[in-house]
Amino acid sequence: MTIDQDELVDRALRESGDQWRNSVSNDLRVDPAWFRRSARWSRPAMALLVAGAATAVLLIAVTIRLVLWSAPQTAPGTTAAPSALPSAVATEPITTCAGGVSPATCAEAARIAVSAVASSGWTPMRIWINSGLLCPDQGCLFDPNANFPYPIPPDGGQWVANAEIAFAESDKHAGMNIATDGSGLVPVLIGYRVPALAWCSGTCPSAVTTEGPFRLELVLPHLDWKPGDPITGTAILGFDGPASTTVWGSGGGPIAFSYAEVGGIRAVDPIWSADCAPHLLDPPTPISAGLSKSGAVSGDEPDADFVRSFLFGGPGVRLPAGSWDISAIANFHDGADCSGAAYTVMATVRISVTGELPSSPGPAHPEPNPRGAYVIELSSAGSAFTPITVGAEGAGCERLLADADANRICLIANNLNPLIIGAEAYGALNDAPSPAFHALVWRARADADPLVCGRGGLEGELLDRCLAEAQAADYTYAAGQIQIKVRIGGAAPRPDAID
Amino acid sequence: MTLMQPASRGFDAINLAGTDADSFAAAVQPYTSRMIRLAARLAPRCGPDDIVQEALIRAWRHRERFDPERGSIASWLMAIVANEARRAGSRLRLPMAVRMPMQRASVDDRIDVEAAVAQLSPRQKLAIDCFYYADLSVLETAAVMGCSESTVKTTLADARARLRIGLGEPR
């Protein structure tokens, strides 16, 4: 083809393009309100919103319920998002109880937790109630690896749980510890912070969408994955009704999954088999489906190569590096033989696939358990060593008051959780031997478990020293006029141990 | 012949991270026409306005990820629209589009050209749709296609070569 001929085709295409553009309406006014209320709109929700004004209020509530961790950012005290939300979004938050907290305590803790964050003006959407304590400083709130001093409960009360709350209007979560003062539960609000994606805070990350009586939840064990990691997760389709019901959908099951690159063009949408089969939905036994992949590649898409490799690249769900939206999509009808109303419910969780972050979350929030009774032997001013049983509440440590550090070590070592012991160094655990360091030695000896040293956060030379002292046959802690031996394996039975 | 078209770069220097809704709306407004055209070309059975709105909401939610050092805001937005259009099209779960027969006898040149365009390979058609119909620049077309600018130019040249055969003697 000559240049002239190419120009002729080019001209024909330009003319055709001009004519086509003139025939297409392209007037779209961008409304800032779209963004203010964009707390996770799903495409099905958008379509249904257009379908009927009668469903609009419900849809707003449904879509707002898709709470993840990247909504527009504001902070308590600012005047941004809350007022922009329609009043219809004030739905009941979803509460998850974990860590063995009793249902009654959990329910009450959730109630007071909501009241504690009322001043933020934000709408609580998810509440996690868990045992143990959150780091009582906003700077390390939700950080499962943070060392922090064991906080003193208010008014002589006892800690019973912690609460984490996610909001519709912010990606910040509220964190608080909850104590009981004998007459009721008392929330101690720590602050608001965006949980790092690597943390499985409270419980595992999840997204929930409710449409009518149907509830779809997508749960992943964590949000950060390495390339090549088989990504796991579970979608749960539940039915909130007085009795069981039957939905009709693909014979392969109503739930499938989509994967879409955030800010990119790579995406795989699921396919369902065309048959129609009944699926029983019983309120107490929802339908669940593990993360899987399905889809089709036609070759006429810019990401065809990716889709092909994703679908046919072997078993398991594996995604390349990047940020991805994983969506569980439930497609079904509420009438026999796929008649009646059609439902498409979608719940989306965003993950990061990177080679730089660990593929598993850090440990759970530290759970203090200051009930690790153990045995020491005390010698004062050269006297013979006398056994002392340090009680579950630290009784016996007062015998060491002749030396403040020894007394403190004795009390700190009463914690069963090495993280709590290490936290007593206030972040300087590895700088120099401290009461926390010696307490780790004592706890390691009492438990006959040298690994306590490392689990408490010791590193380098101090870790080596702790390991040596934890296993030494003739270990003695000397301070002024007193000397203390700690028996190896001298800990009381640990029915309450968390490890 | 000049393939390159000037990209609208009036807002390209904007750092979108942290912008409020009003500023964001103002920043993306100049690109909506091309976004709608792209959506209409890539998902003709779906409402382009809905696709663009959805794309803009996605862009808003991920605005902190826009890096002006890595590309223009226009390219970024077009890639998102293309993704949304493809998702919207796939959700319809319609049968594969039937290729339109050649309409050599048509008196409507545009239809004739479009019919010929429909005969192109998928990637050639995508390049033509983006560049000639949606009026995207080569750079923006590259963002949509996920390839380099030179690949876009090559693809366009190949497409025109095929179209010359399909169109006969273009006027």
Side-chain angles (χ1 to χ4, degrees):
Chain A
M1 180 164 51
T2 66
I3 295 296
D4 287 344
Q5 289 171 324
D6 190 49
E7 282 185 352
L8 288 174
V9 175
D10 177 63
R11 189 176 307 155
L13 284 166
R14 289 185 186 280
E15 289 174 358
S16 178
D18 288 343
Q19 291 175 38
W20 178 82
R21 284 193 293 276
N22 289 335
S23 69
V24 176
S25 169
N26 56 17
D27 182 23
L28 179 68
R29 195 73 226 159
V30 180
D31 184 353
W34 298 345
F35 311 126
R36 295 194 187 102
R37 59 178 178 240
S38 67
R40 291 291 165 198
W41 291 91
S42 67
R43 171 156 289 285
M46 292 285 287
L48 287 169
L49 185 62
V50 174
T55 58
V57 172
L58 170 65
L59 283 168
I60 291 169
V62 165
T63 50
I64 295 298
R65 278 206 156 204
L66 287 167
V67 175
L68 292 178
W69 289 268
S70 59
Q73 297 176 7
T74 52
T78 61
T79 57
S83 61
L85 280 166
S87 58
V89 302
T91 56
E92 281 296 312
I94 299 166
T95 300
T96 303
C97 306
V101 178
S102 73
T105 300
C106 181
E108 177 62 8
R111 190 187 66 77
I112 65 159
V114 168
S115 67
V117 297
S119 61
S120 71
W122 290 341
T123 311
M125 300 304 293
R126 284 206 67 137
I127 303 172
W128 295 272
I129 303 296
N130 204 347
S131 60
L133 294 181
L134 297 174
C135 178
D137 182 89
Q138 185 163 326
C140 59
L141 180 61
F142 304 131
D143 183 348
N145 300 311
N147 286 333
F148 58 85
Y150 184 64
I152 300 171
D155 300 327
Q158 289 185 320
W159 298 115
V160 295
N162 71 70
E164 180 177 344
I165 302 178
F167 300 94
E169 299 88 354
S170 174
D171 54 353
K172 289 185 176 179
H173 290 195
M176 69 192 73
N177 291 318
I178 296 174
T180 176
D181 62 0
S183 60
L185 299 185
V186 180
V188 180
L189 181 64
I190 301 162
Y192 300 80
R193 193 180 189 211
V194 180
L197 293 182
W199 307 338
C200 194
S201 50
T203 61
C204 289
S206 67
V208 179
T209 299
T210 303
E211 190 161 331
F214 302 105
R215 178 180 188 273
L216 180 66
E217 179 165 19
L218 175 60
V219 186
L220 269 63
H222 48 96
L223 298 175
D224 288 303
W225 303 83
K226 288 179 179 176
D229 269 352
I231 299 169
T232 58
T234 303
I236 303 160
L237 177 63
F239 174 65
D240 181 17
S244 63
T245 188
T246 299
V247 297
W248 295 74
S250 167
I255 301 173
F257 300 89
S258 73
Y259 305 87
E261 183 180 29
V262 177
I265 63 170
R266 294 181 291 186
V268 180
D269 286 308
I271 56 174
W272 288 263
S273 60
D275 55 338
C276 184
H279 302 281
L280 180 67
L281 261 179
D282 195 25
T285 52
I287 295 173
S288 63
L291 212 59
S292 62
K293 55 190 181 184
S294 68
V297 56
S298 61
D300 65 345
E301 297 157 342
D303 62 345
D305 289 343
F306 160 73
V307 176
R308 197 174 290 111
S309 66
F310 175 78
L311 292 175
F312 308 120
V317 175
R318 291 175 170 81
L319 292 168
S323 183
W324 295 84
D325 279 345
I326 298 179
S327 299
I329 304 171
N331 250 338
F332 56 89
H333 296 250
D334 63 4
D337 297 323
C338 292
S339 62
Y343 288 83
T344 299
V345 191
M346 183 164 75
T348 302
V349 170
R350 178 163 302 165
I351 67 163
S352 293
V353 180
T354 169
E356 299 174 357
L357 293 172
S359 61
S360 59
H365 298 305
E367 300 182 42
N369 187 344
R371 289 177 288 182
Y374 62 105
V375 177
I376 59 175
E377 295 176 46
L378 172 64
S379 169
S380 298
S383 64
F385 282 93
T386 304
I388 298 173
T389 298
V390 178
E393 301 302 328
C397 290
E398 72 280 3
R399 302 273 300 273
L400 310 183
L401 279 171
D403 183 89
D405 276 354
N407 175 251
R408 179 165 162 73
I409 293 166
C410 177
L411 290 169
I412 297 173
N414 208 21
N415 279 290
L416 286 175
N417 188 333
L419 276 176
I420 301 299
I421 299 174
E424 291 290 339
Y426 297 91
L429 181 64
N430 289 295
D431 292 351
S434 61
F437 164 81
H438 295 293
L440 283 170
V441 173
W442 288 22
R443 175 46 60 186
R445 291 182 66 86
D447 288 347
D449 182 6
L451 295 180
V452 165
C453 299
R455 285 154 57 205
L458 285 170
E459 298 173 349
E461 292 180 5
L462 286 178
L463 174 61
D464 293 340
R465 178 176 163 184
C466 178
L467 290 170
E469 293 183 354
Q471 301 170 84
D474 57 348
Y475 170 83
T476 301
Y477 176 84
Q481 294 294 309
I482 63 174
Q483 292 183 305
I484 300 153
K485 294 180 181 292
V486 181
R487 292 182 184 174
I488 293 179
R494 304 175 55 178
D496 297 318
I498 61 167
D499 297 323
Chain B
M1 181 177 60
T2 303
L3 283 178
M4 290 296 292
Q5 296 178 339
S8 298
R9 295 181 175 276
F11 290 89
D12 282 2
I14 282 182
N15 183 359
L16 294 178
T19 56
D20 60 21
D22 291 322
S23 301
F24 185 83
V28 300
Q29 183 65 56
Y31 306 100
T32 55
S33 294
R34 281 183 294 160
M35 294 171 78
I36 288 176
R37 291 196 290 262
L38 179 63
R41 291 303 297 186
L42 300 188
R45 292 188 178 91
C46 306
D49 288 9
D50 289 344
I51 292 171
V52 171
Q53 183 175 348
E54 181 79 356
L56 286 174
I57 289 172
R58 277 182 178 268
W60 159 259
R61 290 206 302 255
H62 310 317
R63 64 194 184 284
E64 74 282 357
R65 297 181 188 277
F66 169 66
D67 181 0
E69 298 295 318
R70 296 175 56 190
S72 70
I73 186 173
S75 298
W76 181 64
L77 291 172
M78 297 308 161
I80 296 174
V81 168
N83 194 29
E84 283 305 312
R86 200 191 61 76
R87 289 157 67 95
S90 66
R91 282 202 176 87
L92 285 177
R93 281 180 279 157
L94 295 172
M96 291 290 291
V98 178
R99 299 288 187 210
M100 291 175 65
M102 295 292 285
Q103 301 180 39
R104 293 177 186 281
S106 171
V107 295
D108 187 332
D109 286 346
R110 180 169 66 85
I111 300 254
D112 196 29
V113 172
E114 289 217 45
V117 168
Q119 302 296 313
L120 296 172
S121 74
R123 276 189 82 75
Q124 288 174 342
K125 182 176 184 303
L126 178 63
I128 295 288
D129 278 339
C130 290
F131 186 77
Y132 286 103
Y133 288 90
D135 204 23
L136 305 191
S137 69
V138 170
L139 186 65
E140 291 157 2
T141 301
V144 169
M145 296 179 67
C147 63
S148 67
E149 293 177 70
S150 60
T151 300
V152 170
K153 293 175 185 176
T154 302
T155 306
L156 287 171
D158 291 345
R160 285 193 300 271
R162 276 194 63 181
L163 285 174
R164 189 180 69 87
I165 300 170
L167 289 170
E169 287 297 319
R171 294 189 302 152

PDB file of all heavy atoms in Angstrom, chain B residues 24-38:
ATOM      1  N   PHE B  24     -12.136  16.849  42.433  1.00  0.00           N
ATOM      2  CA  PHE B  24     -12.002  15.678  41.586  1.00  0.00           C
ATOM      3  C   PHE B  24     -12.964  15.758  40.402  1.00  0.00           C
ATOM      4  O   PHE B  24     -12.594  15.472  39.262  1.00  0.00           O
ATOM      5  CB  PHE B  24     -12.267  14.409  42.401  1.00  0.00           C
ATOM      6  CG  PHE B  24     -12.030  13.136  41.638  1.00  0.00           C
ATOM      7  CD1 PHE B  24     -10.753  12.608  41.524  1.00  0.00           C
ATOM      8  CD2 PHE B  24     -13.075  12.468  41.038  1.00  0.00           C
ATOM      9  CE1 PHE B  24     -10.530  11.440  40.817  1.00  0.00           C
ATOM     10  CE2 PHE B  24     -12.872  11.307  40.334  1.00  0.00           C
ATOM     11  CZ  PHE B  24     -11.584  10.780  40.226  1.00  0.00           C
ATOM     12  N   ALA B  25     -14.184  16.163  40.687  1.00  0.00           N
ATOM     13  CA  ALA B  25     -15.169  16.282  39.609  1.00  0.00           C
ATOM     14  C   ALA B  25     -14.697  17.284  38.561  1.00  0.00           C
ATOM     15  O   ALA B  25     -14.825  17.054  37.355  1.00  0.00           O
ATOM     16  CB  ALA B  25     -16.517  16.692  40.186  1.00  0.00           C
ATOM     17  N   ALA B  26     -14.146  18.379  39.027  1.00  0.00           N
ATOM     18  CA  ALA B  26     -13.662  19.387  38.083  1.00  0.00           C
ATOM     19  C   ALA B  26     -12.485  18.857  37.270  1.00  0.00           C
ATOM     20  O   ALA B  26     -12.340  19.163  36.085  1.00  0.00           O
ATOM     21  CB  ALA B  26     -13.251  20.645  38.853  1.00  0.00           C
ATOM     22  N   ALA B  27     -11.657  18.047  37.914  1.00  0.00           N
ATOM     23  CA  ALA B  27     -10.469  17.542  37.227  1.00  0.00           C
ATOM     24  C   ALA B  27     -10.820  16.548  36.131  1.00  0.00           C
ATOM     25  O   ALA B  27     -10.159  16.492  35.092  1.00  0.00           O
ATOM     26  CB  ALA B  27      -9.525  16.902  38.250  1.00  0.00           C
ATOM     27  N   VAL B  28     -11.850  15.766  36.345  1.00  0.00           N
ATOM     28  CA  VAL B  28     -12.167  14.717  35.371  1.00  0.00           C
ATOM     29  C   VAL B  28     -13.189  15.181  34.327  1.00  0.00           C
ATOM     30  O   VAL B  28     -13.347  14.541  33.289  1.00  0.00           O
ATOM     31  CB  VAL B  28     -12.694  13.440  36.067  1.00  0.00           C
ATOM     32  CG1 VAL B  28     -11.638  12.907  37.029  1.00  0.00           C
ATOM     33  CG2 VAL B  28     -14.000  13.698  36.797  1.00  0.00           C
ATOM     34  N   GLN B  29     -13.866  16.282  34.606  1.00  0.00           N
ATOM     35  CA  GLN B  29     -14.921  16.732  33.682  1.00  0.00           C
ATOM     36  C   GLN B  29     -14.431  16.865  32.234  1.00  0.00           C
ATOM     37  O   GLN B  29     -15.125  16.450  31.300  1.00  0.00           O
ATOM     38  CB  GLN B  29     -15.503  18.059  34.178  1.00  0.00           C
ATOM     39  CG  GLN B  29     -16.653  18.599  33.333  1.00  0.00           C
ATOM     40  CD  GLN B  29     -17.885  17.704  33.385  1.00  0.00           C
ATOM     41  OE1 GLN B  29     -18.403  17.419  34.455  1.00  0.00           O
ATOM     42  NE2 GLN B  29     -18.330  17.233  32.223  1.00  0.00           N
ATOM     43  N   PRO B  30     -13.248  17.422  31.996  1.00  0.00           N
ATOM     44  CA  PRO B  30     -12.823  17.606  30.602  1.00  0.00           C
ATOM     45  C   PRO B  30     -12.679  16.298  29.824  1.00  0.00           C
ATOM     46  O   PRO B  30     -12.609  16.328  28.598  1.00  0.00           O
ATOM     47  CB  PRO B  30     -11.466  18.313  30.745  1.00  0.00           C
ATOM     48  CG  PRO B  30     -11.482  18.933  32.093  1.00  0.00           C
ATOM     49  CD  PRO B  30     -12.288  18.020  32.941  1.00  0.00           C
ATOM     50  N   TYR B  31     -12.614  15.189  30.502  1.00  0.00           N
ATOM     51  CA  TYR B  31     -12.360  13.921  29.822  1.00  0.00           C
ATOM     52  C   TYR B  31     -13.627  13.107  29.597  1.00  0.00           C
ATOM     53  O   TYR B  31     -13.581  12.030  29.020  1.00  0.00           O
ATOM     54  CB  TYR B  31     -11.361  13.084  30.637  1.00  0.00           C
ATOM     55  CG  TYR B  31     -10.095  13.844  30.946  1.00  0.00           C
ATOM     56  CD1 TYR B  31      -9.896  14.438  32.188  1.00  0.00           C
ATOM     57  CD2 TYR B  31      -9.104  13.998  29.977  1.00  0.00           C
ATOM     58  CE1 TYR B  31      -8.753  15.165  32.464  1.00  0.00           C
ATOM     59  CE2 TYR B  31      -7.948  14.711  30.244  1.00  0.00           C
ATOM     60  CZ  TYR B  31      -7.781  15.303  31.494  1.00  0.00           C
ATOM     61  OH  TYR B  31      -6.649  16.014  31.752  1.00  0.00           O
ATOM     62  N   THR B  32     -14.758  13.610  30.069  1.00  0.00           N
ATOM     63  CA  THR B  32     -15.950  12.767  30.036  1.00  0.00           C
ATOM     64  C   THR B  32     -16.435  12.483  28.621  1.00  0.00           C
ATOM     65  O   THR B  32     -16.957  11.401  28.352  1.00  0.00           O
ATOM     66  CB  THR B  32     -17.091  13.411  30.851  1.00  0.00           C
ATOM     67  OG1 THR B  32     -17.310  14.736  30.364  1.00  0.00           O
ATOM     68  CG2 THR B  32     -16.743  13.455  32.318  1.00  0.00           C
ATOM     69  N   SER B  33     -16.271  13.425  27.727  1.00  0.00           N
ATOM     70  CA  SER B  33     -16.738  13.187  26.362  1.00  0.00           C
ATOM     71  C   SER B  33     -16.031  11.991  25.749  1.00  0.00           C
ATOM     72  O   SER B  33     -16.656  11.087  25.187  1.00  0.00           O
ATOM     73  CB  SER B  33     -16.502  14.432  25.501  1.00  0.00           C
ATOM     74  OG  SER B  33     -17.301  15.491  25.958  1.00  0.00           O
ATOM     75  N   ARG B  34     -14.735  11.987  25.868  1.00  0.00           N
ATOM     76  CA  ARG B  34     -13.990  10.861  25.301  1.00  0.00           C
ATOM     77  C   ARG B  34     -14.261   9.571  26.073  1.00  0.00           C
ATOM     78  O   ARG B  34     -14.261   8.484  25.501  1.00  0.00           O
ATOM     79  CB  ARG B  34     -12.495  11.179  25.283  1.00  0.00           C
ATOM     80  CG  ARG B  34     -12.126  12.095  24.109  1.00  0.00           C
ATOM     81  CD  ARG B  34     -10.654  12.350  24.051  1.00  0.00           C
ATOM     82  NE  ARG B  34     -10.209  13.115  25.211  1.00  0.00           N
ATOM     83  CZ  ARG B  34      -8.947  13.147  25.622  1.00  0.00           C
ATOM     84  NH1 ARG B  34      -8.033  12.436  25.018  1.00  0.00           N
ATOM     85  NH2 ARG B  34      -8.613  13.879  26.666  1.00  0.00           N
ATOM     86  N   MET B  35     -14.491   9.705  27.356  1.00  0.00           N
ATOM     87  CA  MET B  35     -14.811   8.508  28.134  1.00  0.00           C
ATOM     88  C   MET B  35     -16.130   7.894  27.655  1.00  0.00           C
ATOM     89  O   MET B  35     -16.256   6.681  27.510  1.00  0.00           O
ATOM     90  CB  MET B  35     -14.887   8.859  29.627  1.00  0.00           C
ATOM     91  CG  MET B  35     -13.550   9.290  30.219  1.00  0.00           C
ATOM     92  SD  MET B  35     -13.695   9.946  31.909  1.00  0.00           S
ATOM     93  CE  MET B  35     -13.865   8.448  32.853  1.00  0.00           C
ATOM     94  N   ILE B  36     -17.101   8.755  27.413  1.00  0.00           N
ATOM     95  CA  ILE B  36     -18.398   8.252  26.957  1.00  0.00           C
ATOM     96  C   ILE B  36     -18.257   7.605  25.583  1.00  0.00           C
ATOM     97  O   ILE B  36     -18.811   6.534  25.311  1.00  0.00           O
ATOM     98  CB  ILE B  36     -19.427   9.399  26.924  1.00  0.00           C
ATOM     99  CG1 ILE B  36     -19.816   9.780  28.355  1.00  0.00           C
ATOM    100  CG2 ILE B  36     -20.661   8.998  26.124  1.00  0.00           C
ATOM    101  CD1 ILE B  36     -20.738  10.963  28.435  1.00  0.00           C
ATOM    102  N   ARG B  37     -17.503   8.252  24.733  1.00  0.00           N
ATOM    103  CA  ARG B  37     -17.340   7.677  23.393  1.00  0.00           C
ATOM    104  C   ARG B  37     -16.632   6.324  23.470  1.00  0.00           C
ATOM    105  O   ARG B  37     -16.991   5.377  22.770  1.00  0.00           O
ATOM    106  CB  ARG B  37     -16.557   8.656  22.514  1.00  0.00           C
ATOM    107  CG  ARG B  37     -17.329   9.915  22.166  1.00  0.00           C
ATOM    108  CD  ARG B  37     -16.685  10.643  20.999  1.00  0.00           C
ATOM    109  NE  ARG B  37     -15.399  11.236  21.366  1.00  0.00           N
ATOM    110  CZ  ARG B  37     -15.236  12.523  21.702  1.00  0.00           C
ATOM    111  NH1 ARG B  37     -16.281  13.334  21.720  1.00  0.00           N
ATOM    112  NH2 ARG B  37     -14.052  12.991  21.995  1.00  0.00           N
ATOM    113  N   LEU B  38     -15.629   6.267  24.326  1.00  0.00           N
ATOM    114  CA  LEU B  38     -14.931   4.988  24.454  1.00  0.00           C
ATOM    115  C   LEU B  38     -15.866   3.912  24.986  1.00  0.00           C
ATOM    116  O   LEU B  38     -15.886   2.779  24.476  1.00  0.00           O
ATOM    117  CB  LEU B  38     -13.731   5.157  25.401  1.00  0.00           C
ATOM    118  CG  LEU B  38     -12.907   3.898  25.665  1.00  0.00           C
ATOM    119  CD1 LEU B  38     -12.265   3.392  24.365  1.00  0.00           C
ATOM    120  CD2 LEU B  38     -11.820   4.175  26.710  1.00  0.00           C
TER     121      LEU B  38
END
